[in-house]
Structure formats: C-alpha cells, structure tokens
Amino acid sequence: MKVRIGRDELLTGLQRVQGVVEKRNTMPILSNILLEAKQDGVEIVATDLELGMRGLYKATVLSTGGVTISARKLFEIVKELPAGDIELTATDNNWTTIQAGRSQFKIVGLPSSDYPALPAIEREGLMPLAGDGLLELIRKTLFAAGDNDARYILNGLLVTLIVTDKKTTLRLVGTDGHRLAVAEQEVGKAGAKATGVPQEMKAIIPKKAAHEIRHLLEEGGDGEPLIGFSKNLMIFRKSGLLLTSRLMEGNYPNYQQVIPKDGGKTISVNRTDLESALRRVSVLSKDKASAVKLSFGPGKMTLFSASPDFGEATEELPARYEGESLTTGFNARYLLDVFSVMEGETISLQMETPLSPCLVQEPESPGFKCVVMPVKI
C-alpha cells in the first residue's frame, strides 16, 4: 500500500475516529485504525465492536492495500507535521513509513485481514433529518444519561420516532435516576399511510454513539444526515461518513410517570441570575453533592449553603411566586447542567412537596422538559 494524502485531510479523518477506538487494552487491534487504499481514495475505519465508523478521504493512491496502525500514535504524529502532503507506505511485514518533507516515521502495524469487519448495511430505511434539529435534541438530553451506571440501560439515550399521517416527531430521553431530560421536535411532514394509526419506533443508543453523532453534526458540512434502525443496529450517514452502533437491549424506565403533572407550586425566575447565584452559593457547599438549599417565598427565591469547615453563603433573587413558602435542596451541579442547555430568559421550577421531583421548563422550548430529584439537607 502506498498513498499520498494532504495533511489536513488525513488529520480530519483521524480526529473523527479518536472517540471510537477502544481505549482499554482488551484486544490490541481495537486501539488501531484500518487504513485501506482504494482506487478512489483512502478509507479510514475504526471500531470497538459496539461502535464503528468508516469514511473515505481524497488521496492519490500509488498502490492499493491495507494496514492497521495505532490510531493515537498516527494522530499525534500527523498533528505535529506541517501543512503539505504526507506519503504513507505499508510493507509486507505491516511496518508503515510516514514521510512528510524531511520527517520520517516508521510504526509497527498489524495485518488488515485481522481487523474486525463492520456490519453489512442496507441502504433502505434511512430517514433524512434536519442536522440542526437532531443536534439540539442530543445536546439537550445527553448530559442526563448515566456514566457507567450499574443499571446498564441508563447509559444510553432512548430514541423514539413517532409517525402519524400529519407529521413525524423525534423524541430523545436521557436519565441517570437523579435527573431526566426529554426533548422532542418535529422532523418531517411525511407521515403514516392513510390508516391514520400512529407508528412508533423505539431504540436505545449508547451514550458513546450519541457523543460521536454530536461531534459529526457539529462539524457542519454539506448533505442532510440520514438515520435508520435495523433489528439491533443504528445507522447514521453524513456526507460520505458512516457510523454504526449496536443498540442496547433492555427495557427503558417508564420516564413519563416521573414527570410532574400541572398543579404543583411554580416559581419563575431569570435563568442567568439563578445560574450565577447557584455557582456562587455552591462554592461553600459542604460535600461532594454540592447541596444548596432553595426557598420559594412570595416574590423571591433564596439560596443557602453551609459548611462547618468553610462557612455559609446566602443569596436572594427576585422571582414570580405566589403561595405557601417551600424549602427544598438540590445538587447544584445537576441544576447547572440543566440551565447550561437552556437558552430562554426565564425558567420555571415546579414541584408539589420539598421531596417530590422538580420540573424545570422554559416557555421558548415547549418540547423540552427536565426533571431533577431534590436532596435532603
């Protein structure tokens, strides 16, 4: 295999796959990427057996072939090289020479024949989605999904596609048991056939897959992204790139029953003011839980935190609230995560009792709901 490729083109391809390659040393070849020189360019492939990414990049192919080499080492080398062409040559013993200007590197590779194959993909059944809409849904729910949670199913996002005869709606849900985020958006006008019966498709995608889709959408670029699901696979295509992910198996919790219904005590407050006050007051919070006490009273909200080692902090904010006073406590970090994905000027917090779930919403995004569980203080 011998190819000549622009440094920036190769760097783009290598950056994209860094999040896919396996970091743990379970199988050495999974920390490698597969480079395949074909007639029309160089294909860069990465997989951790759950998630796979494949992309074709412009290159002058002097001789076809393939090799697998360390994704991290190749990325570190290419990142330090100046702009210009890079020549990659793989020999029969899988050593790969990287030549750029006066620099030359030789790195050990493994045979391309040993690299795990990505699943075969059907082109049918992929649905075009507005990139901005999908990106917003992921951004508003990903933070709430679990990180290595013992309840395996919580380490993913529930994706629901609802098709009626009038519209197609995409809904994403993330929860780790302490907070819950639900975001939905209309993604198309085409609907179900004349039966008028809504069709619903559900799948649970791993958090890692959602992260990679988010990165690819944030790159921008031409072409509308396509997404589709088979029995146990999610397929995502975007301008020549293919991302596949195994779906998570199991039953997602019934999140609907956690969302408070109308009728609780509701306080409306300026989002930026509350976010800033929460950051300040939580500095003196006494433990890792960043616990802050919130009190709702007529026309105001009071924030309080205390630590026997450092002291205490109090801040009062103007708010719109009528009704009996209510005092509760929250992990400040959980609330700040919610506020960071909101854009509206005013937000509302609604809860029935000091220990019942708190619903956080903003008038500008009726399709977005977030629930945060309080903590005892």
Side-chain angles (χ1 to χ4, degrees):
M1 179 193 97
K2 188 171 185 179
V3 298
R4 192 177 298 122
I5 185 169
R7 181 253 185 195
D8 292 348
E9 182 81 355
L10 181 56
L11 189 62
T12 298
L14 294 173
Q15 273 172 329
R16 284 174 177 161
V17 295
Q18 291 307 304
V20 175
V21 288
E22 181 58 67
K23 303 292 189 291
R24 299 167 302 222
N25 259 339
T26 44
M27 281 171 66
I29 203 160
L30 293 183
S31 60
N32 285 9
I33 51 162
L34 171 63
L35 291 175
E36 276 195 305
K38 302 190 168 182
Q39 296 297 341
D40 49 353
V42 172
E43 204 164 64
I44 298 178
V45 181
T47 183
D48 65 358
L49 299 184
E50 297 288 323
L51 192 64
M53 189 186 287
R54 181 194 298 274
L56 187 68
Y57 298 89
K58 289 178 197 162
T60 304
V61 177
L62 306 170
S63 69
T64 58
V67 70
T68 85
I69 47 183
S70 166
R72 189 167 61 87
K73 282 297 163 200
L74 183 58
F75 176 59
E76 287 171 354
I77 289 167
V78 173
K79 199 167 59 170
E80 299 304 330
L81 292 173
D85 282 352
I86 296 172
E87 208 163 85
L88 298 166
T89 311
T91 55
D92 291 340
N93 65 359
N94 299 306
W95 278 75
T96 302
T97 305
I98 302 155
Q99 184 79 46
R102 296 180 184 178
S103 304
Q104 189 186 79
F105 303 83
K106 286 185 178 178
I107 50 178
V108 184
L110 290 167
S112 59
S113 56
D114 292 353
Y115 203 75
L118 260 57
I121 301 301
E122 300 290 331
R123 286 190 175 267
E124 293 79 41
L126 290 183
M127 178 184 171
L129 292 175
D132 291 347
L134 180 57
L135 178 58
E136 188 185 354
L137 293 181
I138 292 175
R139 194 176 65 83
K140 287 194 165 181
T141 50
L142 194 57
F143 74 92
D147 268 319
N148 299 315
D149 198 290
R151 292 158 298 176
Y152 164 74
I153 212 74
L154 298 187
N155 300 314
L157 289 180
L158 174 66
V159 180
T160 308
L161 203 56
I162 306 144
V163 183
T164 67
D165 53 357
K166 290 185 180 159
K167 62 181 181 180
T168 300
T169 305
L170 184 66
R171 181 192 303 140
L172 267 62
V173 182
T175 182
D176 60 3
H178 303 289
R179 63 260 177 96
L180 162 78
V182 182
E184 67 175 52
Q185 202 170 86
E186 194 177 307
V187 291
K189 297 287 181 193
K193 297 190 174 98
T195 58
V197 179
Q199 297 169 357
E200 197 170 274
M201 195 280 320
K202 288 188 176 185
I204 303 166
I205 62 169
K207 191 171 186 176
K208 186 175 176 180
H211 264 299
E212 295 311 315
I213 292 174
R214 177 179 177 168
H215 289 321
L216 294 175
L217 289 170
E218 283 173 343
E219 282 182 13
D222 301 328
E224 207 171 23
L226 297 167
I227 195 166
F229 298 90
S230 67
K231 186 181 174 187
N232 60 355
L233 205 64
M234 179 207 72
I235 302 109
F236 176 81
R237 283 185 186 275
K238 177 182 171 281
S239 47
L241 270 169
L242 171 71
L243 181 80
T244 61
S245 171
R246 287 190 189 280
L247 298 176
M248 297 171 75
E249 291 181 17
N251 294 318
Y252 204 77
N254 182 357
Y255 64 91
Q256 298 279 16
Q257 66 185 22
V258 181
I259 301 172
K261 305 292 181 278
D262 289 342
K265 300 178 175 73
T266 303
I267 189 164
S268 297
V269 64
N270 180 283
R271 179 181 59 86
T272 336
D273 291 351
L274 178 54
E275 194 173 351
S276 305
L278 206 49
R279 287 187 194 284
R280 287 189 290 271
V281 172
S282 64
V283 170
L284 290 187
S285 181
K286 67 180 176 186
D287 51 23
K288 287 181 185 173
S290 302
V292 172
K293 191 184 283 185
L294 264 62
S295 299
F296 304 172
K300 67 176 183 181
M301 176 191 279
T302 307
L303 292 79
F304 174 81
S305 73
S307 157
D309 299 324
F310 302 113
E312 55 184 48
T314 309
E315 187 155 343
E316 198 174 279
L317 295 174
R320 203 167 72 245
Y321 180 73
E322 293 169 7
E324 295 172 18
S325 297
L326 181 144
T327 298
T328 184
F330 288 100
N331 180 323
R333 189 169 51 82
Y334 290 164
L335 283 178
L336 290 169
D337 283 347
V338 179
F339 300 157
S340 70
V341 299
M342 292 179 142
E343 285 116 24
E345 187 182 339
T346 305
I347 55 167
S348 68
L349 286 76
Q350 177 198 319
M351 58 197 305
E352 295 216 7
T353 70
L355 290 175
S356 62
C358 176
L359 176 63
V360 187
Q361 287 179 289
E362 56 181 348
E364 290 85 353
S365 302
F368 177 57
K369 288 185 173 78
C370 195
V371 177
V372 182
M373 297 304 292
V375 294
K376 279 187 180 179
I377 294 188

